[in-house]
Amino acid sequence: MSAILRMTARRLLTLVPLVLGITLFVFVVLRFSPNDPAYNALGDGASPEAREAYAEANGLNDPLLVRYVRFLGDLVQGDLGVTSPPSRPVTEVIATAFPLTLQLTLLGVTLAVVLSTVLGVTGALFRDRWPDQVIRVVSMAGVAMPSFWLGILLIQQFSLNWELLPTGGYVNPSESFSGWLKSMALPAISLGLPVASLLTRIIRTSMVEELDRDYVRTAIGSGLPRVVVVGRNVLRNALITPMTVLGLQIGYMLSGAVVIEAIFGLPGLGTLIMQGVTAGDPGLVQGVVLYIALAFVIVNLVVDILYLFANPRLRGAS
């Protein structure tokens, strides 16, 4: 346990410069945006004098470093500024949209984990036979499919042709759980299937490597049932590497959910960032991008910690 705490502390220390780098990058990039915060706040009819007075009053004319330090101070206090009129706190707007993005990501991750584990293990156990060949072809096709293109195909087939699922929109689970599942089914499949295809290939490779190790042949030769050896030892060891890949993929799914939400008309962070771009609201865009980036970092930290628990050799090396 002490080894895990030491390594977790080291991971947390490395996150400090990473988070600062993310905030600096987002801040600087959006400062070069052609959108004028004074123009967005005062409207089309504001005179140049009024815009200059607004910029002076809100510190927009200060040096970039001064503005960045002030931005960090506000960020630590949870203040991301306000949106363009009608003015609302950015954190409040994001807080209403983030739960839907989180729901979509969790559904996509669940689908990816279950599907890839079943297919990857099946492919390894039936190595080079027809189930393995079929799974490899399907997983290669899945990896090659962009999630947004898959989403459009699913809408065409399941919504327009078969009329089984809605083309878009969101139903709150508190209103109708079945309606919520229907509204989230196609977006979750679009988001999770490409990741499931990638993880299937990785799990299959890891399982094949583990099945070829001496301890597996020894255990089976000593009379232990193959099912017990595979389930208790092989699968546990084989899932260590895919766990690391899954951590990265969850972060990518959070960002990929932005595109999927736009396709299916879901009121999550994707719709929010599109509104910010369309309305020329850099504060809103900045807040959403920071939320996604920080969520990516946190997810990978959690996966690193879980990796320490799953890999005794790594704990021993520390």
Side-chain angles (χ1 to χ4, degrees):
M1 183 60 70
S2 60
I4 293 176
L5 291 177
R6 285 197 303 272
M7 297 194 72
T8 302
R10 285 201 291 267
R11 295 285 197 279
L12 289 172
L13 288 176
T14 59
L15 286 184
V16 175
L18 177 60
V19 171
L20 286 175
I22 291 171
T23 58
L24 179 61
F25 177 78
V26 173
F27 179 82
V28 171
V29 167
L30 288 177
R31 294 296 81 75
F32 287 101
S33 167
N35 294 308
D36 183 2
Y39 180 85
N40 293 335
L42 300 177
D44 299 345
S47 65
E49 293 78 12
R51 292 202 295 271
E52 180 62 29
Y54 178 90
E56 188 65 33
N58 289 273
L60 300 179
N61 294 330
D62 293 341
L64 191 64
L65 180 60
V66 174
R67 293 162 61 189
Y68 175 65
V69 172
R70 185 165 58 237
F71 164 73
L72 281 182
D74 294 337
L75 183 62
V76 170
Q77 299 175 40
D79 182 7
L80 289 171
V82 296
T83 64
S84 296
S87 298
R88 292 178 59 194
V90 172
T91 50
E92 178 184 311
V93 175
I94 292 177
T96 61
F98 185 67
L100 189 146
T101 301
L102 188 61
Q103 292 172 27
L104 175 57
T105 304
L106 290 177
L107 283 174
V109 169
T110 302
L111 172 66
V113 169
V114 173
L115 192 59
S116 63
T117 302
V118 172
L119 294 180
V121 172
T122 302
L125 294 178
F126 290 91
R127 186 190 335 180
D128 296 329
R129 285 180 276 177
W130 72 263
D132 183 32
Q133 301 292 347
V134 171
I135 290 171
R136 279 197 278 182
V137 171
V138 171
S139 63
M140 287 177 64
V143 170
M145 279 192 295
S147 58
F148 68 88
W149 183 73
L150 177 60
I152 295 172
L153 289 182
L154 291 175
I155 290 174
Q156 178 69 36
Q157 192 62 45
F158 287 90
S159 300
L160 301 181
N161 292 346
W162 294 344
E163 299 182 353
L164 295 176
L165 295 169
T167 58
Y170 176 70
V171 177
N172 196 298
S174 61
E175 299 175 2
S176 171
F177 185 75
S178 61
W180 174 75
L181 280 179
K182 288 180 180 180
S183 67
M184 298 294 283
L186 294 185
I189 294 172
S190 305
L191 192 63
L193 199 56
V195 176
S197 301
L198 174 64
L199 289 175
T200 295
R201 295 173 61 83
I202 296 173
I203 291 174
R204 186 250 179 212
T205 302
S206 297
M207 284 287 297
V208 167
E209 291 177 354
E210 285 296 319
L211 287 170
D212 287 340
R213 295 188 184 277
D214 292 337
Y215 78 87
V216 176
R217 290 190 291 268
T218 302
I220 295 175
S222 64
L224 286 176
R226 182 179 175 85
V227 175
V228 173
V229 176
V230 171
R232 182 182 299 174
N233 302 106
V234 176
L235 184 60
R236 184 180 62 185
N237 294 333
L239 290 181
I240 292 177
T241 300
M243 185 186 301
T244 306
V245 177
L246 178 62
L248 293 173
Q249 291 302 314
I250 292 175
Y252 290 131
M253 290 172 79
L254 275 170
S255 57
V258 170
V259 179
I260 296 300
E261 288 170 3
I263 292 174
F264 288 93
L266 299 175
L269 293 183
T271 302
L272 206 59
I273 199 170
M274 292 296 292
Q275 291 174 354
V277 171
T278 304
D281 189 345
L284 181 57
V285 175
Q286 175 179 266
V288 174
V289 171
L290 280 176
Y291 252 72
I292 293 174
L294 293 177
F296 188 102
V297 170
I298 292 171
V299 165
N300 279 277
L301 173 63
V302 172
V303 171
D304 281 345
I305 295 173
L306 293 176
Y307 188 76
L308 296 177
F309 279 99
N311 194 342
R313 290 173 296 181
L314 192 58
R315 295 200 302 268
S318 64

